Amino acid sequence: MVSFACKACVVFLTVFICNTVADIYLHVPRGSNNRLNEKSATRKNPNRLFDSQNNNRGGYNVGDATESPFGTDEGKQYRMKYFQSGPWKTLRQAKGQSYLTIEWTNQHGCGGNEDSSPQKQNCALVMQYMCQDDVDSPTGITDTLRNGVNTKKQDYTKPNRNNADSDRSNADAKSDRGLHEPWSWYNKCYLRERNKGLFVADQKLESDNGLGYSSAIYTRQNPNGNRYGYECPEERDYFPYWHPTPWKDIAVLAENASMCDHYTRKSFNVQPYGECVEDKGWSSYNNKAACESNGGTWKLLYNYLEKATDKTNKASCERTTTGGLTYKWAVPYDTDDYQPECLVLADAPECAEAPWSRSNHLGNGRDGVPLNYTWVLPHFPSGNAKRCVFRFRYNISTDDYDPYGTDHTQNNEFPQKSPIQQNPYVYVMSKQSPLRLAINTAQYGRIFQDRSHVFKLMPRPSGLTQDRIFNVNVRGKRGNIVQVYPAVEYDFAPNNLEVKKGERCNLLIHFLCLSHRDICPCVPGSNTHNNGNPAGDGQAGSAGEGKAGTDRNNMVELSDRGTNFPTPFEKSKLWQDVSVAWIYHGKTDISAKDLAINLASSGYYRCADDQSCPESEHTDYLVSTKTKMNNLLDNASPSYEGVLLRFQKKGVYNYMCSRNNNFTNRSQKAAIIVK
Ligand SMILES: *[C@@H]1O[C@H](CO)[C@@H](O)[C@H](O)[C@H]1NC(C)=O
Ligand SMILES: *[C@@H]1O[C@H](CO)[C@@H](O)[C@H](O)[C@H]1NC(C)=O
Ligand SMILES: *[C@@H]1O[C@H](CO)[C@@H](O)[C@H](O)[C@H]1NC(C)=O
Ligand SMILES: *[C@@H]1O[C@H](CO)[C@@H](O)[C@H](O)[C@H]1NC(C)=O
Ligand SMILES: *[C@@H]1O[C@H](CO)[C@@H](O)[C@H](O)[C@H]1NC(C)=O
């Protein structure tokens, strides 16, 4: 093995941390980490939808819509719903925006690299999403976003030399399995030659995909071409990617804001990328020169927010300005026929320095606040409901080689050129007594990932297009702090929602708080968080209140956050001060008492007395006549449908969840502060 001679001292100081497991876990909205509905502490299938590289214990199950597990019916899963922003979003006014607080933990440090808090690696956090209309896709099950009802990954029938252009086999893209990227995305990745200009260190990448060449399914981090759902390994490992992708960029949080120009300029949101088109129906060429010199045509394809299908020519398309958005007559990335269509373009991603976090620690950032980013949800001018997935990648690299200036000329195929070798020996004492370093060249520079389950972005109710909406969610799952790790215990997020009157918006003196379907609201709860065996490298068990394995949340008022007894309705401030701007069951003119009962029962009851429900609804919704609710909410739904509360007075409104709050063991309390 190579001696690093003097360089060894430098290497020695930095490598230990670089090769441990590092992870990213998404807590709001809840990240799946490839889980679906497992009753075990560990996920069943790390290959289900995407390559997370995370610990098997992380992640949250998909929400259930009723008090029973969804079983084999995806319709009984609960999809989180958030209202889209109104049409004013892109005018950079606060008017009409919908804010979704994203919260996560990442195991290595990132951001805030100052003398007093130097970071030990380079990093970037990349947030993206994909959406489609919330109907089964016209192209069928090959690209309809879904969670599926079992934990198997989709199949992929490999093309062979004689029929590489063959269509999808019926065995692929099954309707009962989860699907994010469409089948065609992975198929193109499988057929496209990999980028041979990349640095792969001393990794030996598979040289034959079965068609006689090495394709984009092989990378330094995935040298054997393992498959995870229909994710393309090369695209997973590199950002910004150099081919069209199905993802829209939301934000990049970089180690240093000086990187931002690079990320925003190269984002597929703002510039087209090329793809080789050949008469035979598929192509292996991954660049313009090779494509054209072999008779192909290099087509530039565009990303888009959605298609404006009612605009059928360039002039009518490009003079549209609805919603302050840009419309472009261009060929979309998912085209069938390479004809231009009217595309509503996505905004450029936001870019900033990442919030500071500490190495080897899945915890909060500075001042004990959770690592967070506020996503201003998009506005879709079609007015259609959307079905979406959120994707979060965490990229760490070291200074042991220049991550941007090192390429294939330093791969080991050029004898021993790689600046890093697998577990090398270094000589710091004497030639007789080397020390071995822990270096895995497949993970030196490594990406981690988490994704949400499928959720919905709903058009705004009429009359509410200009209001700002702040989404309050529940994070966490059933179990004590050790049992849930590396997921988290229950809490509300954002925990202190502070809204300053007139701060970002001159016109509005009120704001709306949308709590959607899980009260203590907004995270969908599951009935299968039993956290049983196998528990991997952690503890099994689901300590908590109520029926084992079930999540339940409600929202009751609390006068003082230092106490644990809810405020009786007669003394309520919260319910008296708010009005209902929208509620899932449509009847907004409800009394404060009905609202309090609805939220305290997680939607189980709607009416306090005979007068507030029509008689026909008494058995379904009235406290005195409906089957009695379990006092730990066991027979209520784990997922609450949502309400928009309008706050019109200044004040501090505290609330808690009566079931999960258990002083000394678990606190589930939060505040909305209107200034
Ligand atoms: C960010 O990068 C710039 C330019 O390379 C450098 O001057 C600056 O010190 C860096 N900031 C931090 C916080 O590392
Ligand atoms: C991760 O960072 C490396 C540089 O260290 C870069 O080449 C790569 O494209 C990045 N990948 C992602 C997914 O951010
Ligand atoms: C988000 O993080 C910032 C620091 O980066 C902090 O100031 C803010 O309070 C946090 N927001 C929430 C909702 O936790
Ligand atoms: C509070 O939590 C502890 C630990 O999980 C549990 O043992 C105890 O039973 C809980 N209290 C109630 C009233 O459920
Ligand atoms: C909290 O949990 C511990 C065991 O983990 C238990 O001894 C204690 O009684 C619990 N507290 C309450 C209030 O239930």
Side-chain angles (χ1 to χ4, degrees), residues 125-128 239 248-253 349-352 373:
L125 295 152
V126 181
M127 289 175 242
Q128 296 172 305
F239 176 87
K248 330 285 170 225
D249 303 333
I250 298 169
V252 182
L253 302 180
E350 196 177 335
C351 183
Y373 171 78

Side-chain angles (χ1 to χ4, degrees), residues 101 103 354-356 366-367 369-374 493-497:
T101 302
E103 289 187 3
W356 179 85
R366 281 207 172 100
D367 304 322
V369 296
L371 299 175
N372 70 88
Y373 171 78
T374 302
N495 199 262
N496 278 301
L497 175 59

Side-chain angles (χ1 to χ4, degrees), residues 2 5 67 103 178 266 271 281 300 359 455 510 513 517 538 573:
V2 204
E67 72 277 15
E103 289 187 3
K266 294 191 170 167
Q271 72 153 80
L300 285 182
S359 276
F455 63 95
H510 60 254
C513 166
R517 231 182 201 179
K573 191 164 69 125

Side-chain angles (χ1 to χ4, degrees), residues 52 59 76 110 169 225 258 409 435 494 511 557 623 659 662:
S52 77
K76 289 191 177 153
C110 195
S169 148
S258 66
T409 57
L435 296 172
F511 76 92
E557 188 174 352
V623 175
R659 160 157 146 151
N662 172 339

